Amino acid sequence: MKCPHNIVNLMHDYLDGDIKPHDAKILKEHLQQCSACADHFNGLKKTVAFIQHASHLIPPSDFTARVMAKLPKEKKTVRMRRWLQNHPFITAASLFVILTIGSLFTTWNEQEQFSVSTRENVIIRGHTVIVPKGEVVKGDIVVRNGSIKIEGKVEGNVTVIHGEKYLASAGQVTGELEEINQVFEWIWYNIKERMKDVVETFE
Amino acid sequence: MEIFVKKRIKAIKKGDQNAYADIVDLYKDKIYRLCYRMLGNRHEAEDTAQEAFIRAYVNIHTYNPNMKFSSWLYRIATNLAIDKIRKKKPDAYLDEEISGTDGLTMYSQLSSNEASPEEALESLELQETVQKAIEKLPEKYRSVIVLKYIEDLSLQEISEILDLPIGTVKTRIHRGREALRKHLGHL
């Protein structure tokens, strides 16, 4: 029997899944009559089935790790960013510390003006606060950017920031007498003050 | 999944290597399988697959997002595998005639000590036979057959991966199937 000249092409179109209905009919009819072409077609179908059912190998388990180890080094900024993303708590905490210290530095540098927390029973001469003999100051005194001379009595704490304290022999301070000239002392002082506030709020 | 891949690629472009590990995990089976079927050797397949992933990472900026990322990876891996095949000492194809013989091919020589069809159907033997038949295909037929039947890709995708017109892909698949039929059709 004479085979249509394009019969093999029709077989492949069929296997590709894009055979036209008209061609499919021609192919089907021919295969029913021609055993040689039917064998050919079966051989192709078997071949496809064999290849499709080839078992699948999987790569070794360390495949990804080995690829990653061979990649060129990544930029430091990226590594840093990822580290920060992976450790949000540490990031937040360190950011907090940095901001706190920063703000303390600023307050330390900003407050260059002379100030004193109380004006009762004291004499102010230039940048010096004098607690005169015989006078009693009730409460704490904080002096910024100035000195204090105590000849009388202070019933409370005295703190001198950026300045000096002179305690005359007759002078008396019932509380603590403190002089702060360093940034770190200033920070420590701030922390103590805040802690006191916190403790007081809880009390 | 497309969104997942797109996100990873964005991160990789910014230089985030860890995002690339996800991509490797996602595609390693397919790429390794492709390389193994193209080369027929586990060791070479692993080397080639790794190289494909490294190349993709290094050249990630040349990746065109209009293309499927998997197609791009397949393209890199296929090209590398074809290079490897070409560099290998050219094997005598089974269909070539052995000099000094009349119409006797290597294949008919092999057939004499080959397993009977019943035995051949036992899985492992069959696997080997199938793999050997694929390896005997010239590389241009081998790549389309592997992409079509091992990776189960559409003609459209294969045409994109190999940067060939669909008509050419079809012709190659037809010829590849015919060549394979000679080795496998009688089993």
Side-chain angles (χ1 to χ4, degrees):
Chain A
M1 118 155 253
K2 197 178 176 297
C3 302
H5 70 282
N6 64 341
I7 195 72
V8 174
N9 281 340
L10 295 187
M11 291 180 197
H12 286 288
D13 286 346
Y14 176 88
L15 293 171
D16 285 341
D18 60 357
I19 190 166
K20 294 181 193 88
H22 173 69
D23 290 339
K25 206 176 151 216
I26 295 174
L27 179 67
K28 198 181 167 192
E29 279 170 7
H30 182 70
L31 292 180
Q32 277 167 355
Q33 296 157 15
C34 175
S35 64
C37 285
D39 279 352
H40 188 143
F41 187 60
N42 279 334
L44 282 173
K45 283 208 290 195
K46 249 203 239 168
T47 301
V48 167
F50 282 149
I51 298 204
Q52 277 176 326
H53 292 102
S55 68
H56 292 321
L57 293 161
I58 52 162
S61 54
D62 62 348
F63 184 89
T64 305
R66 284 166 69 177
V67 169
M68 297 311 289
K70 283 186 195 168
L71 294 184
K73 271 245 150 63
E74 65 182 351
K75 288 183 213 138
K76 261 189 193 155
T77 50
V78 176
R79 216 163 33 206
M80 178 90 87
R81 199 182 309 138
R82 190 175 51 238
W83 190 88
L84 294 180
Q85 276 167 1
N86 292 343
H87 302 84
F89 185 74
I90 298 175
T91 309
S94 44
L95 198 67
F96 175 77
V97 168
I98 290 167
L99 289 178
T100 313
I101 291 175
S103 72
L104 288 177
F105 266 105
T106 337
T107 36
W108 171 251
N109 289 330
E110 264 174 7
Q111 292 164 344
E112 301 221 315
Q113 265 182 322
F114 169 74
S115 72
V116 61
S117 62
T118 178
R119 294 193 180 259
E120 248 177 90
N121 300 335
V122 296
I123 303 165
I124 294 164
R125 216 171 269 159
H127 281 189
T128 307
V129 181
I130 299 164
V131 181
K133 237 184 210 171
E135 290 284 359
V136 177
V137 177
K138 285 182 183 165
D140 299 346
I141 306 177
V142 178
V143 181
R144 286 172 207 272
N145 303 304
S147 304
I148 187 161
K149 237 182 215 174
I150 303 164
E151 288 163 358
K153 189 179 177 188
V154 179
E155 286 180 351
N157 300 330
V158 174
T159 310
V160 185
I161 299 158
H162 248 175
E164 281 168 72
K165 58 181 195 300
Y166 306 104
L167 187 60
S169 52
Q172 215 185 335
V173 176
T174 58
E176 283 174 51
L177 181 58
E178 242 184 321
E179 198 179 282
I180 297 168
N181 284 320
Q182 297 295 323
V183 174
F184 288 108
E185 286 177 34
W186 165 239
I187 291 167
W188 178 232
Y189 169 75
N190 263 282
I191 291 169
K192 276 200 293 190
E193 287 299 297
R194 270 172 216 189
M195 283 309 289
K196 251 188 249 166
D197 283 350
V198 171
V199 170
E200 274 163 23
T201 8
F202 281 113
E203 268 169 5
Chain B
M1 194 180 89
E2 281 298 302
I3 294 165
F4 171 82
V5 172
K6 281 209 166 100
K7 270 191 182 168
R8 299 287 116 175
I9 290 166
K10 244 188 190 168
I12 296 160
K13 282 188 174 173
K14 283 183 194 153
D16 185 352
Q17 268 188 0
N18 281 21
Y20 197 60
D22 295 338
I23 293 286
V24 178
D25 270 335
L26 195 59
Y27 294 112
K28 64 180 181 190
D29 289 8
K30 291 176 179 189
I31 297 298
Y32 177 78
R33 190 162 73 196
L34 171 96
C35 294
Y36 177 74
R37 292 299 169 189
M38 290 289 283
L39 299 160
N41 166 316
R42 280 168 192 261
H43 183 72
E44 269 189 299
E46 199 190 332
D47 276 359
T48 311
Q50 286 194 0
E51 203 180 331
F53 279 112
I54 292 163
R55 281 211 187 178
Y57 178 81
V58 173
N59 297 308
I60 194 82
H61 292 276
T62 67
Y63 165 65
N64 171 6
N66 295 329
M67 194 178 187
K68 264 173 91 174
F69 188 74
S70 58
S71 296
W72 190 65
L73 266 180
Y74 278 133
R75 176 185 286 183
I76 294 172
T78 312
N79 288 339
L80 277 173
I82 289 176
D83 279 353
K84 287 260 164 91
I85 295 166
R86 284 182 186 157
K87 274 180 200 156
K88 276 202 256 182
K89 212 176 140 200
D91 283 315
Y93 289 119
L94 283 179
D95 294 333
E96 282 175 280
E97 280 192 16
I98 300 165
S99 56
T101 60
D102 194 20
L104 185 64
T105 63
M106 282 285 269
Y107 194 68
S108 55
Q109 289 227 311
L110 276 180
S111 304
S112 56
N113 54 14
E114 212 175 41
S116 67
E118 297 82 58
E119 284 171 325
L121 282 167
E122 280 169 28
S123 184
L124 219 92
E125 292 249 5
L126 180 64
Q127 295 298 335
E128 271 178 39
T129 313
V130 168
Q131 180 57 32
K132 274 185 189 144
I134 294 173
E135 277 167 55
K136 293 306 167 192
L137 288 175
E139 81 234 4
K140 63 178 177 179
Y141 300 149
R142 205 187 301 182
S143 47
V144 289
I145 290 289
V146 169
L147 291 171
K148 169 83 185 158
Y149 289 114
I150 303 291
E151 302 294 344
D152 203 22
L153 298 175
S154 68
L155 295 177
Q156 178 62 47
E157 277 176 290
I158 299 171
S159 127
E160 198 181 41
I161 291 164
L162 299 174
D163 203 15
L164 291 171
I166 286 205
T168 311
V169 173
K170 265 192 189 177
T171 312
R172 288 188 181 182
I173 288 177
H174 296 184
R175 296 201 179 138
R177 267 197 302 244
E178 284 297 335
L180 288 170
R181 182 184 67 93
K182 287 178 193 154
H183 305 156
L184 302 173
H186 66 282
L187 293 180

